[in-house]
Amino acid sequence: MWRKLLTILSAFLVFGVANQACAEDGYDLWLRYQPLDSAAKAHYRPVLTNFVVPNARPTIRAATDELQRAFKAMFGYALVQRETVMHDGTVLVTRADSPLLKGMDLPFARLGKEGYLIRSATIGGNHVTIIAGNSDVGALYGTFRFLKLIQTGQPIDKLDIIDVPKLQVRVLDHWDNLDRHVERGYAGQSLWDWQKLPLYKDPRYTDYARANASIGINGVVPNNVNGKAEILTAEWLEKVKALDDVFRPYGIKVYLSARFSAPIELGGLKTADPLDPAVIAWWKAKVDEIYRIIPDFGGFLVKANSEGQPGPADYKRTHADGANMLADALRPHGGIVMWRAFVYAAENPEDRHKQAYTEFQPLDGKFRDNVLVQVKNGAIDFQPREPFHPLFGAMPKTPLMMEFQITKEYLGFATHLAYLGTMWEEALEADTWRPGKGSTVADVIEKPVDADAITGMAGVANIGSDFNWSGSQFDQANWYAFGRFAWDPQSRAEDVARDWAHLTWSNDPAIAEPIVRMMMRSREAVVDYMTPLGLGHLMATGHHYGPGPWVADLARPDWNPVYYHKADANGIGFDRTRAGSDALSQYAPQVAAEWGNLKTVPDRLLLWFHHVPWDYRMRSGRTLWDELVSRYDRGVDEVAAMQVQWDAFKGRIDQRRWEEVRDFLAIQHREATWWRDASIAYFQSVSKRPLPAGHAAPPHDLDWYKAIRTPYAPGRGE
Ligand code: BDP
């Protein structure tokens, strides 16, 4: 009787657990390791029965732990672990110098520090799979790639793969404050529970590190660029060290945002002048202290003289003076400085588009070689669409790193489905024409300015305490894509989307392919319903939530949307040609010629560079006004189409994630309509044109939209 009860009970438990495993919530990201069906198991088993752990170095251990975790989840039982001797079906995760690889002619010379190879081979008569790099982290990256092959149902019996990252520093910038508020964060609070660190290390830190390592991210800046100096005190450095201890096995270095005035705030000095000997000595001592606590510390990220942050200009010094002083302190330890070029001076009446170039370009060649200048993809500020930043290609003697924003400050926060891979691809494949045709932004950031120069890419993270990490299921794709583009800036957005869709949703093409199509069109939809035809910076004040094209009363001219669209009775758009601000002259002549000419400028950048009459005839044959209205509607229609597509997946995707996406799409549709209606109501009040036939009038008058207030929208700035 008892035995019977136990059987029933255990059956219930097993059933309960299995059921739970099916109830996905997004926590597992793209590392879901779904159980394989018996055909797939039978297919893989001969190649995958055991693995060798030749040593217990932490990174190799992390790799084999991952292998085991994945194997258990996908196959339902553990791999056999061996010490050295190999058998058929062994996976060998190791380094180039392993005695087990002795006498084999493997192409390690091509792998650099972090690259890997995956090779099906025969050793001592046994069929084995070698996953190896010159470093342990190479082997770890290879392991994740190997697992991806299985997750996506690829064959693994005749492998010959080599992959090497094209950029060295692949870093996530968290805009997280010490009180856990995340500036421009829409995924809950900061992941870093500073209050409980260093003694309590949330297991999520390990899962975060796994996710990063799986896509090759090798650096983390845990604190905001608008940072407090306290992070540099001994008490906080101990907390940072605790994070670093978790991240190290995953090949991830910790960097810190450094507040330029820290010598005053923490050191009690009267100045932070980068040429002052006491300031230099303070930073040197501080850096030495950091390395005593965190020996593999990566270096500093600095936002200086931008949006109220202190910096070298406070002492009439240049950005190079400031960056070099920190670089000198870091150099003996191998640390670097990532110095941001996102600057626009408070009193400068120059077109904001031009200011970073004006300030930085003359400093080309003046930075120490352990400084990277970190440049946003566009010259204004992460808008849904911007032309590439004119600094790319214009500082050939200075390592420039790309800064993308993964968090969607300007693309609908967490709820709008907007895959950013297409936006980044557009920026990276843009031709700078410097020095000549075919020199894309990707080429500029990839090609070291000299043999030892550093290269890199930074992404402003979209990660927080939400169970799904990124605020929405689809925003995980942007974290994933960032890693892929940082690894290889020539990646194709569609391939990346497809990989992600397979890993995250399903290997069934009937599900994955429509998802890829949704993703590929999604960013353009946002552009259409928020800022079509090259418009930009039209959002409401402060939190940047919702439309505010009418805003004209902010302290600085270039904080006001009216500054950007310049709509008046005659037309709309910012004239950046020679007749206007001449920002175009900061680009190579060929680029300036193409974009400066109404006949050749692409529609997508028209109003970014030109002020155009409302009745201007577009390529479509419509007037500019009619085209503008139809773009707004096209954007909203696209969201409606995504809703229809998603509804068709009902019952074919796990319930909880499906419902979340369905509801978020409904929010997106409502907000897209709000953007469309408010923008049309406003621009019509200026253009005084009737709406083209077939396009509905906004349901409310302009004042109604202007009166909308959302003071508690998340992610506010500091
Ligand atoms: C803007 C954000 C602001 C950031 C700033 C930056 O609105 O919160 O501090 O960029 O990049 O996009 O420093």
Side-chain angles (χ1 to χ4, degrees):
M1 153 82 186
W2 272 111
R3 190 165 293 168
K4 209 167 174 193
L5 198 68
L6 264 179
T7 321
I8 295 170
L9 201 67
S10 57
F12 174 77
L13 280 175
V14 169
F15 178 74
V17 170
N19 225 12
Q20 224 175 30
C22 295
E24 294 198 58
D25 57 14
Y27 182 86
D28 293 334
L29 296 160
W30 46 89
L31 302 174
R32 289 159 60 244
Y33 303 135
Q34 290 294 287
L36 299 176
D37 61 27
S38 46
K41 279 186 202 165
H43 175 76
Y44 287 129
R45 204 170 290 130
V47 198
L48 196 56
T49 54
N50 60 87
F51 68 101
V52 170
V53 187
N55 68 71
R57 287 193 302 267
T59 300
I60 295 292
R61 176 65 62 188
T64 47
D65 282 356
E66 192 71 25
L67 196 61
Q68 195 65 293
R69 167 204 289 260
F71 191 84
K72 274 188 213 152
M74 293 192 287
F75 287 79
Y77 57 90
L79 281 165
V80 178
Q81 178 176 333
R82 316 249 182 220
E83 288 313 315
T84 51
V85 186
M86 276 175 282
H87 299 255
D88 269 344
T90 299
V91 181
L92 176 61
V93 180
T94 192
R95 217 164 51 181
D97 57 8
S98 162
L100 295 168
L101 300 182
K102 222 172 167 171
M104 297 193 71
D105 187 20
L106 294 169
F108 284 110
R110 287 160 55 194
L111 299 185
K113 262 195 262 170
E114 295 173 299
Y116 59 81
L117 59 83
I118 309 178
R119 181 70 80 87
S120 308
T122 309
I123 304 182
N126 298 308
H127 297 290
V128 302
T129 308
I130 301 165
I131 304 177
N134 288 316
S135 62
D136 290 343
V137 77
L140 174 68
Y141 292 154
T143 303
F144 278 111
R145 174 71 175 274
F146 181 66
L147 291 172
K148 183 175 125 187
L149 295 173
I150 304 173
Q151 286 172 279
T152 52
Q154 312 292 312
I156 55 167
D157 49 348
K158 289 193 193 66
L159 295 176
D160 186 5
I161 296 175
I162 283 190
D163 205 359
V164 183
K166 296 216 178 104
L167 301 179
Q168 295 165 34
V169 179
R170 306 178 297 277
V171 63
L172 283 179
D173 292 358
H174 288 256
W175 285 356
D176 295 15
N177 294 337
L178 306 186
D179 64 1
R180 296 190 80 180
H181 170 74
V182 182
E183 179 158 348
R184 312 313 180 184
Y186 313 102
Q189 283 196 298
S190 170
L191 200 55
W192 324 127
D193 194 346
W194 295 114
Q195 183 69 21
K196 301 195 186 85
L197 283 164
L199 288 183
Y200 175 66
K201 297 177 199 157
D202 190 324
R204 288 195 75 165
Y205 306 153
T206 307
D207 288 335
Y208 164 87
R210 290 174 48 233
N212 279 335
S214 76
I215 48 176
I217 289 170
N218 67 359
V220 170
V221 184
N223 66 320
N224 193 355
V225 285
N226 297 323
K228 297 267 186 284
E230 276 100 320
I231 193 89
L232 299 175
T233 60
E235 181 194 347
W236 283 83
L237 289 172
E238 287 299 336
K239 297 172 189 281
V240 176
K241 176 196 162 23
L243 288 181
D244 186 66
D245 286 343
V246 178
F247 299 160
R248 194 176 314 109
Y250 292 90
I252 298 167
K253 279 192 181 203
V254 172
Y255 302 77
L256 287 174
S257 289
R259 189 167 159 84
F260 201 77
S261 52
I264 301 174
E265 285 142 12
L266 302 182
L269 302 187
K270 295 231 154 36
T271 175
D273 180 349
L275 302 191
D276 184 298
V279 172
I280 296 171
W282 188 87
W283 277 110
K284 188 179 172 318
K286 180 51 72 183
V287 168
D288 292 347
E289 178 192 353
I290 297 175
Y291 277 92
R292 273 196 303 278
I293 300 171
I294 309 168
D296 58 344
F297 180 64
F300 292 137
L301 168 66
V302 185
K303 172 175 179 177
N305 294 119
S306 167
E307 302 186 320
Q309 294 301 313
D314 303 347
Y315 310 97
K316 305 214 168 4
R317 311 294 185 198
T318 68
H319 285 282
D321 293 331
N324 291 344
M325 180 269 296
L326 294 175
D328 288 342
L330 289 157
R331 166 182 303 285
H333 305 279
I336 64 167
V337 175
M338 295 172 279
W339 191 271
R340 299 179 81 225
F342 177 67
V343 300
Y344 54 103
E347 327 69 31
N348 197 337
E350 194 181 34
D351 174 4
R352 179 167 150 193
H353 188 295
K354 297 173 73 176
Q355 294 184 28
Y357 181 102
T358 305
E359 222 166 304
F360 273 84
Q361 201 286 327
L363 298 175
D364 187 25
K366 303 231 158 59
F367 292 92
R368 299 281 191 268
D369 56 10
N370 57 333
V371 176
L372 281 151
V373 173
Q374 183 169 314
V375 183
K376 289 187 181 182
N377 57 289
I380 300 297
D381 192 11
F382 299 135
Q383 296 306 298
R385 168 163 281 125
E386 290 194 37
F388 73 86
H389 202 300
L391 277 174
F392 290 112
M395 296 183 70
K397 292 186 241 138
T398 308
L400 300 186
M401 70 190 284
M402 173 61 83
E403 178 177 320
F404 286 131
Q405 192 179 45
I406 310 171
T407 188
K408 303 206 314 298
E409 174 180 358
Y410 298 105
L411 287 101
F413 292 13
T415 44
H416 295 210
L417 196 164
Y419 170 54
L420 303 181
T422 48
M423 177 158 106
W424 301 336
E425 179 180 71
E426 181 178 309
L428 289 163
E429 70 185 8
D431 195 348
T432 69
W433 281 84
R434 284 180 162 138
K437 186 172 170 44
S439 219
T440 64
V441 171
D443 296 333
V444 169
I445 60 170
E446 252 176 60
K447 214 181 299 146
V449 295
D450 57 52
D452 313 312
I454 328 167
T455 56
M457 186 183 286
V460 179
N462 66 350
I463 299 155
S465 59
D466 273 12
F467 66 88
N468 65 23
W469 300 89
S470 299
S472 82
Q473 305 297 334
F474 272 88
D475 280 343
Q476 298 178 354
N478 294 326
W479 178 6
Y480 180 83
F482 170 74
R484 295 284 301 273
F485 277 98
W487 181 277
D488 180 4
Q490 321 272 351
S491 295
R492 304 314 300 164
E494 184 169 344
D495 298 342
V496 173
R498 183 164 293 112
D499 280 353
W500 178 81
H502 278 257
L503 294 167
T504 305
W505 296 105
S506 173
N507 279 326
D508 177 359
I511 293 180
E513 284 309 309
I515 288 180
V516 171
R517 284 198 295 278
M518 282 170 69
M519 290 167 75
M520 290 302 289
R521 295 201 303 250
S522 59
R523 175 262 188 153
E524 202 63 43
V526 178
V527 169
D528 279 343
Y529 61 71
M530 286 187 184
T531 53
L533 298 174
L535 291 172
H537 210 286
L538 301 183
M539 64 288 163
T541 305
H543 45 56
H544 299 168
Y545 175 60
W550 47 81
V551 174
D553 59 354
L554 304 179
R556 296 176 52 120
D558 55 6
W559 281 349
N560 290 293
V562 296
Y563 169 93
Y564 293 94
H565 62 67
K566 301 203 186 308
D568 56 24
N570 300 319
I572 180 171
F574 198 132
D575 185 357
R576 293 191 162 105
T577 67
R578 211 166 300 152
S581 80
D582 203 21
L584 273 166
S585 66
Q586 295 180 336
Y587 291 95
Q590 293 84 348
V591 177
E594 185 194 337
W595 290 349
N597 184 338
L598 275 176
K599 291 210 179 68
T600 49
V601 65
D603 285 356
R604 64 172 198 279
L605 295 178
L606 178 67
L607 304 178
W608 194 275
F609 289 115
H610 298 270
H611 190 79
V612 182
W614 294 110
D615 296 324
Y616 176 77
R617 235 353 109 189
M618 301 289 293
R619 292 189 178 95
S620 63
R622 286 190 275 260
T623 65
L624 170 64
W625 167 247
D626 289 359
E627 183 72 33
L628 192 68
V629 173
S630 68
R631 294 283 173 125
Y632 278 116
D633 274 324
R634 191 173 82 174
V636 177
D637 291 348
E638 191 69 56
V639 181
M642 291 201 281
Q643 290 182 285
V644 171
Q645 176 61 67
W646 197 257
D647 283 344
F649 291 145
K650 187 174 170 78
R652 296 159 70 200
I653 282 180
D654 40 283
Q655 186 73 2
R656 178 165 172 178
R657 292 193 303 162
W658 180 81
E659 281 176 1
E660 185 192 303
V661 174
R662 177 200 58 193
D663 295 348
F664 281 16
L665 283 169
I667 297 174
Q668 181 175 8
H669 190 263
R670 197 176 60 184
E671 294 181 354
T673 307
W674 171 28
W675 267 94
R676 179 255 179 219
D677 290 339
S679 303
I680 290 180
Y682 170 70
F683 287 127
Q684 191 174 30
S685 77
V686 185
S687 79
K688 312 256 189 275
R689 301 283 192 287
L691 289 178
H695 296 269
H700 302 282
D701 64 13
L702 179 57
D703 287 338
W704 190 89
Y705 296 106
K706 283 185 173 176
I708 295 175
R709 295 280 176 276
T710 57
Y712 306 115
R716 62 165 205 286
E718 287 313 289

